[in-house]
Amino acid sequence: MARPQCLSNTDSWLHSIASNPRRGRKYLGFCACLAFVLLSLTWLRGNDQPFDKQTSTSLSFPAEVPAKETLISPSDLEPSLEDAGPILNNLTVAFPPLPPADDQEYVSLCLAIKDQPGDLDEFLAHYYYHHGIRRFYVMDDGSDPPLSYTPNFGIPPFAVPRSAVTFTYIPRVPDRPQPFQHIIYADYCIKNFGERHTWMGFLDADEFLEMRREITLVNWLHQWEQNDTVGALSVNWITHNSGGQQVRPKSNTRKGFGRCVVDRPDGKNADGENAHVKSFAKTDLFDGVNSVHNMRTSYGTVSIGEKGDECEIKRFPITHDTWALHHYSVKSREQFLDKQQRGSPNNHHAAGEFWEKIEAADDYECPELAAYVP
C-alpha cells in the first residue's frame, strides 16, 4: 500500500494551480492587482514630500560680458522677467509718487562717465523711476573695468533693467580730438541714436533733475514740442557743497549732501554758479555742441529757459519754478580729489580753486531730493 505524500504549502499552491487552470488565472490576476496598488501608493507617497527651493532649477547670468562695446536695445532683447520691473518688499515705498513710464522713449539721456559704478546706479535709478526714462546712452570713457561689466543696476530693491541701458565703450587714447565730450554728444549719441527719440538730454552723473509744480518731465517737454521757434530747453543748476564732509558719506549722494549755494546776486554765490544750465534738445533740430551746457540747433531755433527766455551757457535771472537740476559738483573732499584724478572727457581736471569757491559761498539747507526713494 502506497504511503501518502506530504506536500508543503508552496507545493500545495502550485498543485492547485496546475490541477485547476481556472483557479490559477484568478490567483495570478489577484497578484497583479495587488502589485499595481502597492506601486501606486509608493508613487503618491513620494509626491507628498515638501518642495525644496534649494534644489530647484535657477537661472544664472553669463560669467563674462563682452569687453569692448555692449549695445543693448529693445530690438536686441526679447522681453524677460528681468525687464518686468522691480519686486518691492513691503517696507519700501517709492517717494514721491512715480510718474508714468515713458515706454515710447519720447525722451532719452546721454551721459559720459568713467569709473563711477556707484554714481551710475543712483543716476539710473533716479531717472528711471522719478522721471520715467526708459532709454539711457552711457558713454563709458575708458572705465577699468568697463561699466557694462556691472551685474545689476539701480538701488535695491529698485532695479533698473539692462534693456534700458545702451553702453558704448570708448578707450582713452593719447591725442584724441578735443573737446571730446562735444564729439560724444554729437557723433556717438545724436548721430547713432537721435532719430529714435523726440528729445535727448545731455547730463552728467552728478546731476539730478527735480520737477516742480506737479508736472512730469515728459509732459513739460510735450508742452514745447510744437513750438517751432524752440530747439532746446535749458534748466538752471542748484549747486550743492560738501556740507563740511571730508570723506564719502555712507548714504547716497542725494541724501548725503543737503546744503546749496545761494542764487541771489547780492550774496557770495560762487560767481553765479547756479546760472549755468544743461539742455534737453529736439533731436531733429540738433546742429552741434556749443558747450556741454548749450546745444546748437538749426533753422533759426533757439535754446530757452523755463520762462521762454533765450539763453546760452548761463541764464539770468536764475529761476527754478518749474524744474531744477541739482548739481553735486564737489561732494566730500575725498570724492572731489577722486574727481580731480579722474578728469573729464575734455581732459578737464577740477581745480582746487573750484573747491574753495564752492565751499566759501553762502549756502542754505536744500533737502528736496534727500527724501526721494529710490
Side-chain angles (χ1 to χ4, degrees):
M1 181 176 180
R3 296 179 59 185
Q5 294 182 351
C6 182
L7 300 178
S8 66
N9 291 337
T10 303
D11 292 337
S12 299
W13 182 75
L14 292 174
H15 177 74
S16 63
I17 291 176
S19 61
N20 192 335
R22 185 174 181 181
R23 179 181 295 175
R25 285 193 296 272
K26 289 182 179 180
Y27 274 118
L28 291 176
F30 172 79
C31 291
C33 290
L34 180 62
F36 176 77
V37 170
L38 291 174
L39 287 173
S40 298
L41 290 174
T42 301
W43 182 82
L44 290 172
R45 179 180 177 83
N47 278 349
D48 285 340
Q49 299 301 317
F51 179 70
D52 185 357
K53 291 184 179 179
Q54 294 181 347
T55 61
S56 62
T57 303
S58 62
L59 297 177
S60 60
F61 294 98
E64 296 183 358
V65 180
K68 284 298 181 182
E69 180 171 299
T70 306
L71 297 179
I72 304 175
S73 63
S75 60
D76 299 328
L77 292 178
E78 293 296 327
S80 66
L81 290 177
E82 185 184 38
D83 303 331
I87 300 175
L88 309 183
N89 63 41
N90 293 333
L91 300 178
T92 306
V93 178
F95 179 85
L98 303 181
D102 178 24
D103 291 327
Q104 301 303 312
E105 298 187 9
Y106 176 72
V107 58
S108 62
L109 294 182
C110 169
L111 72 153
I113 184 173
K114 180 180 186 292
D115 293 330
Q116 296 169 264
D119 294 336
L120 180 60
D121 278 335
E122 186 175 3
F123 180 93
L124 294 175
H126 178 81
Y127 285 97
Y128 186 88
Y129 287 99
H130 296 297
H131 300 293
I133 302 294
R134 292 299 182 264
R135 177 57 48 206
F136 301 89
Y137 297 109
V138 177
M139 304 292 120
D140 187 344
D141 189 31
S143 297
D144 184 17
L147 292 170
S148 59
Y149 279 36
T150 305
N152 300 295
F153 298 104
I155 300 175
F158 294 88
V160 175
R162 294 187 68 91
S163 59
V165 188
T166 301
F167 282 99
T168 301
Y169 187 80
I170 307 170
R172 283 200 174 186
V173 297
D175 302 323
R176 65 183 183 181
Q178 292 295 341
F180 194 71
Q181 193 157 351
H182 297 195
I183 295 172
I184 288 176
Y185 288 169
D187 291 347
Y188 285 81
C189 286
I190 287 290
K191 184 176 180 180
N192 291 332
F193 309 111
E195 64 181 10
R196 303 180 184 183
H197 315 279
T198 302
W199 297 86
M200 184 177 288
F202 302 90
L203 304 177
D204 293 329
D206 59 3
E207 296 172 329
F208 294 85
L209 187 68
E210 177 196 2
M211 298 304 299
R212 299 178 170 182
R213 292 187 173 177
E214 298 184 354
I215 189 172
T216 68
L217 172 61
V218 171
N219 287 342
W220 176 239
L221 296 176
H222 269 296
Q223 290 186 17
W224 295 99
E225 180 184 350
Q226 301 305 319
N227 188 321
D228 57 12
T229 68
V230 174
L233 287 177
S234 297
V235 53
N236 276 107
W237 272 349
I238 293 180
T239 302
H240 291 242
N241 62 23
S242 73
Q245 299 181 79
Q246 294 298 308
V247 298
R248 180 189 297 268
K250 294 181 179 179
S251 61
N252 64 40
T253 296
R254 291 163 299 161
K255 295 186 185 303
F257 303 97
R259 298 199 65 83
C260 295
V261 173
V262 298
D263 295 337
R264 64 179 190 273
D266 59 339
K268 295 173 64 178
N269 61 11
D271 298 331
E273 187 69 10
N274 290 341
H276 287 96
V277 298
K278 283 298 186 74
S279 297
F280 287 76
K282 292 179 179 177
T283 58
D284 60 347
L285 295 175
F286 182 95
D287 194 40
V289 182
N290 293 324
S291 144
V292 295
H293 299 276
N294 178 251
M295 304 301 124
R296 184 169 62 254
T297 56
S298 58
Y299 302 109
T301 58
V302 296
S303 181
I304 64 167
E306 63 179 10
K307 306 295 185 182
D309 49 304
E310 185 175 347
C311 62
E312 295 183 355
I313 295 173
K314 290 187 173 184
R315 174 179 175 269
F316 297 99
I318 301 167
T319 62
H320 305 108
D321 296 334
T322 302
W323 59 349
L325 189 62
H326 292 258
H327 185 208
Y328 299 84
S329 57
V330 295
K331 302 181 183 177
S332 68
R333 181 65 178 171
E334 176 188 6
Q335 291 166 289
F336 180 76
L337 295 177
D338 288 342
K339 181 178 181 177
Q340 278 188 311
Q341 180 66 29
R342 189 168 58 243
S344 75
N346 289 348
N347 283 342
H348 172 73
H349 295 264
E353 293 80 4
F354 182 77
W355 168 274
E356 295 168 1
K357 180 178 72 171
I358 299 301
E359 294 301 289
D362 292 337
D363 65 353
Y364 64 98
E365 188 174 355
C366 49
E368 293 86 355
L369 296 190
Y372 275 41
V373 179

